[in-house]
């Protein structure tokens, strides 16, 4: 985030151009920071000393660090610390900035101080931005008198880094009472609090497509059900983590299925945190204990269920996958098929799950808990009545403890939490079929 945010400051101050910033950010990913620049930036040597070491490098077949130690400029401990920081996005950007533009290294401290003041960062917050430490800088961007706003923003950015891209920057949180949008994916968490968490595409951005392409690795020429589906699963991951956090405070919360809207207006008190990536803007929307109307006509998003059956199913443990998210079904199908399982059916809600189970009679059924039409709990109840020996693995978002307990009482044997941990998924499902398929 540092390069994007500090770079945009330099553009606004007309130090560099927008096209130059784009070039710098592209090169940043391929750059390894020079130890000499890092040593000067850390105050471990002067620029003159670093230049002298570089001259020696040209004459001798030795590394910068070895020469610096021989000359008594760096200790081994100092060198090791520099090597640990060599992948720092902050140092990479500064090095490229000095190498590729007219900005002098002696000007950097002055620009950084002005940048800090313009954003209102204290020193610790600026260090957090440099070090990509979300927890250290999020309160500087997403400060609110309402509880949990900063927590939700922080969880969203951590998931952005984990599942989408680390090449983004954010603007300050702002309060809104009415906001139009091009597209919206939103989830409502109910219980001791009413919390709405959503991602919103402003007009003319096409940011849903750009984000979905980064999440899935696929290309989309238009906004489709799969685009909404992948954005919805991202929101679901954030909601699950927030509900888990609230559960540690002894607050009871439930997650409802995601909703999707196009070209409408949110009415009611909420907050927007702008996120910028790949030249696009996508807005995080948060409303807590607020009477809001997110839209009047939701989209009917349903990704087509894959009806294909894995090859060689007769010699493998069979699985039916049930999830309203086509993206989640695809992840599970690919993972299980690569590891000795055969997928013999899929379903997108609880009602379909019951029908597919009765038809296929799989060794294992995975059941997402939060689904429209009929949730995984009710589907499990019906399946266990039909087949008391059924082996079910429940798919849960983090924090759905009450649902987990209810599933246990009904006969579920395993629980898999989203976002998926592939090793855990395989361990849990293999344990369900080990007796029948000892070689799995």
């Amino acid at each position: 985030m540092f390069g994007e945010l500090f770079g945009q400051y330099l553009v606004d101050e007309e130090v560099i151009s927008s096209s130059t910033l784009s070039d710098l950010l592209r090169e940043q990913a391929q750059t390894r920071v020079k130890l000499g620049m890092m040593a000067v930036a850390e105050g471990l040597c002067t620029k003159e000393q670093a230049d002298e070491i570089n001259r020696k490098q040209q004459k001798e077949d030795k590394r910068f660090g070895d020469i610096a130690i021989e000359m008594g400029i760096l200790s081994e401990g100092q060198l090791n610390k520099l090597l640990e920081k060599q992948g720092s996005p902050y140092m990479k950007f500064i090095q490229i900035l000095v190498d590729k533009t007219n900005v002098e290294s002696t000007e950097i401290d002055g620009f950084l101080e002005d940048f800090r003041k313009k954003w209102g960062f204290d020193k610790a917050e600026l260090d957090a931005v440099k070090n990509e430490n979300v927890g250290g800088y999020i309160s500087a961007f997403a400060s609110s008198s309402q509880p949990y706003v900063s927590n939700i923003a922080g969880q969203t950015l951590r998931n952005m880094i984990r599942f989408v891209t680390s090449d983004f920057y954010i603007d300050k949180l702002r309060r809104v009472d009415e906001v139009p949008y091009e597209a919206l994916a939103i989830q409502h968490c109910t219980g001791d609090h009413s919390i709405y968490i959503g991602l919103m595409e402003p007009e003319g951005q096409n940011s849903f497509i750009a984000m979905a392409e980064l999440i899935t690795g696929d290309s989309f020429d238009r906004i489709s059900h799969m685009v909404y589906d992948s954005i919805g699963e991202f929101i679901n991951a954030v909601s699950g983590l927030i509900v888990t956090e609230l559960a540690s405070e002894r607050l009871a919360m439930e997650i409802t299925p995601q909703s999707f809207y196009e070209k409408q207006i949110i009415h009611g008190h909420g907050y927007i945190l702008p996120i910028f990536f790949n030249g696009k803007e996508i807005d995080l929307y948060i409303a807590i204990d607020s009477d809001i109307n997110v839209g009047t006509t939701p989209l009917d998003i349903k990704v087509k269920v894959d009806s294909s059956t894995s090859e060689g199913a007769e010699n493998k443990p069979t699985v039916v996958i049930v999830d309203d998210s086509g993206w989640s079904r695809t992840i599970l199908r690919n993972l299980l098929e690569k590891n000795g399982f055969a997928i013999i059916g899929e379903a997108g809600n609880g009602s379909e799950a019951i029908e597919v189970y009765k038809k296929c009679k799989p060794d294992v059924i995975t059941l997402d808990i939060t689904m429209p039409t009929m949730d995984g709990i009710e589907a499990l109840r019906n399946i266990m009545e039909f087949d008391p020996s059924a082996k079910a693995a429940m798919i849960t978002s983090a924090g759905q403890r009450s649902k987990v307990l209810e599933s246990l009482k009904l006969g579920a044997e395993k629980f898999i939490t989203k976002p998926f941990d592939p090793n855990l998924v395989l361990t849990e499902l293999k344990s369900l079929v080990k007796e029948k398929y000892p070689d799995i």
Side-chain angles (χ1 to χ4, degrees), residues 211-320:
M211 184 170 178
E213 289 181 337
L214 290 171
I215 291 172
T216 66
D218 295 329
S219 296
F220 303 98
D221 57 8
R222 60 183 179 82
I223 194 162
S224 64
H225 284 207
M226 184 58 84
V227 168
Y228 280 113
D229 182 69
S230 60
I231 302 291
E233 280 300 279
F234 177 89
I235 293 295
N236 190 53
V238 175
S239 297
L241 291 167
I242 291 301
V243 168
T244 298
E245 194 173 320
L246 295 180
S248 69
E249 300 179 19
R250 299 178 182 271
L251 296 172
M253 300 290 295
E254 297 290 347
I255 300 173
T256 65
Q258 304 98 329
S259 299
F260 307 92
Y261 300 83
E262 283 185 348
K263 301 181 185 299
Q264 298 183 55
I265 299 174
I266 292 183
H267 296 277
H269 170 57
Y271 297 90
I272 280 180
L273 181 75
I275 304 171
F276 301 90
F277 68 102
N278 287 4
K280 307 289 184 183
E281 176 184 348
I282 198 167
D283 294 333
L284 171 65
Y285 179 82
I286 304 168
I288 299 176
D289 297 331
S290 178
D291 184 17
I292 69 169
N293 182 345
V294 299
T296 56
T297 311
L299 299 174
D300 182 17
I301 300 299
K302 186 176 180 181
V303 177
K304 185 178 179 181
V305 173
D306 188 344
S307 59
S308 64
T309 299
S310 303
E311 294 182 5
E314 65 276 3
N315 299 315
K316 300 174 182 178
T318 57
V319 182
V320 165

Side-chain angles (χ1 to χ4, degrees), residues 303-371:
V303 177
K304 185 178 179 181
V305 173
D306 188 344
S307 59
S308 64
T309 299
S310 303
E311 294 182 5
E314 65 276 3
N315 299 315
K316 300 174 182 178
T318 57
V319 182
V320 165
I321 298 172
V322 183
D323 200 305
D324 61 319
S325 166
W327 176 235
S328 290
R329 294 196 303 268
T330 298
I331 291 173
L332 280 178
R333 175 182 276 270
N334 291 342
L335 173 64
L336 295 178
E337 286 183 334
K338 288 177 183 177
N339 288 276
F341 290 86
I343 310 306
I344 59 171
E346 290 188 12
N349 61 54
S351 297
E352 293 176 358
I354 298 166
E355 294 178 12
V356 175
Y357 186 90
K358 290 179 178 180
K359 176 183 176 182
C360 298
K361 296 186 176 63
D363 293 311
V364 176
I365 184 167
T366 69
L367 283 166
D368 187 27
I369 286 182
T370 304
M371 295 185 290

